[in-house]
Amino acid sequence: MKLRLPRWLRFIDLLALIAAVTMATRGQAEPLPLERAIRLALTHSTTSAMAKIDVQRAFASYREVRNNYIPQIVAGSGLGWSHGYPVAIEGSAPAILNVVAQSPLLNLSQRQFMHAAKVDWQASLYQDKDQRSAVIQDVVASYTELTKWEARLVRLQQDEAESQKMEQAVAERLQAGVDSAVDLNKAKLTTARMHLHRVQARGAADVLRHHLANLTGLAASSMEIEPESIPALPPVGAEEDSSERAVASSPILKFAEQRSLAEAMRAKAEHRMLLPSIDFSAQYALFSNYNNYAAFFPAGVFRKNNFTIGAGIRIPIFNATQRARADVAKADALKAKKQADAARDQVAEDTLKLQRAAEQLEAMRAVAELEYQLAQSGLEAAQTRVDAKTGTFHELGDARMNAAEQFLAFQDADFEYQRARVNLLRATGELENWALAGAAAK
């Protein structure tokens, strides 16, 4: 006679096998604390890399304008055959060698454009800082949520195994005529719900692990997160106003202010285009004898080597187009200033909302934790009554289901609170210091 194990025992064995394989795989996996995940993401992130490229581009633009004050030297040749008087070729007399050097000497407009380009470069640094904070926030949120789902998977595996036992017991009691078919369906529904929660948790964990792998550049199968590496969150102070700190440290606001300053400088530069300017200029030309210079210049006057140095003075008399361009730049500067003011108000308002939301979520988390503790106490009491033959299996099943649901509710409330606190830390400019607190302590 072939011995067959009960279905619930076979299910327990399957869970044990899955857990053993998982532990063996994790034994080969590489520990990934939060601090290391953040540093890998900052190195590997494409958004952070693009922000750094923008900084390099802004700095190159600033050097482009600044280097206009360095004389530009161009060497060339205007070779040609002349018939009659040697007519100019491309604005210069025909010459074997022609060297020209030019640079601004006194140009108030050019100086303002240079200052505007420098401010744009400084603004790009704030944008790079904001992108860095966004990467850190993404890693922290993904890491924290993955921790939640993995802890939930462990609990759900236990609850599903217990619900399988309960379903088997109710089926046996149905055969004995103690329970009804409705009781069996209720037990099956509890098992199905546990299975659904476990499938959802596994799917969410897989997606987050893949996302974290993309951020860090590591293989998803080789990562083993360490929940204890997440630093403790600082308490939310109801009395303090976090919006003031956010306004003082927000990279987005500083970027908007720097852009407003740059636009104001460009508007001033466009207006100064209407002012006189002086340019340095020097030129050397090596003339040839076959261009008929000797035929048109007195003997002893013609020289093969010729050199000129001086300054070109430009005094704008009337330029309606430039005046219109200056008015357009002035309007852009006023718009940028209003946008900076709006950004300041938005940062303050959003930070206040985040602070109040974090306070509410902290209170909701405390309520959910107490409800879970009460449900867990009820489950232990129901188990005690069943062991003492004074309670029913249905009471135990209801208590177990209630404890499982309250555990899920507490986990969700705890994660929502953590996410709100992380958002608030980023708004106040404290996210990086908090996230890398463990590394700083070392």
Side-chain angles (χ1 to χ4, degrees), residues 381-438:
Q383 184 67 54
T384 302
R385 289 195 298 271
V386 169
D387 294 341
K389 308 298 184 182
T390 59
T392 65
F393 278 98
H394 303 299
E395 291 177 353
L396 179 60
D398 293 341
R400 179 172 289 111
M401 187 64 190
N402 183 41
E405 294 294 340
Q406 292 301 329
F407 172 75
L408 301 184
F410 168 64
Q411 264 203 328
D412 290 336
D414 182 57
F415 173 70
E416 291 300 325
Y417 166 70
Q418 292 183 46
R419 180 161 58 182
R421 288 294 291 118
V422 168
N423 293 341
L424 184 59
L425 287 172
R426 181 188 175 188
T428 56
E430 301 169 325
L431 177 60
E432 184 169 354
N433 292 335
W434 169 80
L436 302 179

Side-chain angles (χ1 to χ4, degrees), residues 47-84:
T47 57
S48 181
M50 288 188 292
K52 293 186 184 304
I53 292 173
D54 288 338
V55 173
Q56 295 174 0
R57 182 183 182 278
F59 182 64
S61 298
Y62 162 63
R63 287 192 298 109
E64 177 186 2
V65 181
R66 184 193 63 185
N67 290 346
N68 281 329
Y69 285 95
I70 301 175
Q72 301 178 12
I73 302 175
V74 179
S77 179
L79 294 175
W81 177 78
S82 298
H83 177 72

Side-chain angles (χ1 to χ4, degrees), residues 113-162:
F113 279 125
M114 182 182 68
H115 292 330
K118 185 175 182 180
V119 172
D120 276 336
W121 167 44
Q122 294 172 345
S124 68
L125 294 174
Y126 288 114
Q127 192 174 29
D128 176 49
K129 184 178 180 181
D130 181 66
Q131 289 297 327
R132 179 182 176 90
S133 297
V135 171
I136 294 176
Q137 182 184 19
D138 192 6
V139 174
V140 171
S142 301
Y143 196 97
T144 306
E145 189 173 4
L146 181 57
T147 301
K148 179 192 82 169
W149 288 114
E150 290 200 344
R152 179 172 294 191
L153 271 172
V154 174
R155 173 62 183 261
L156 288 173
Q157 287 175 354
Q158 298 173 355
D159 290 341
E160 188 173 0
E162 293 295 333

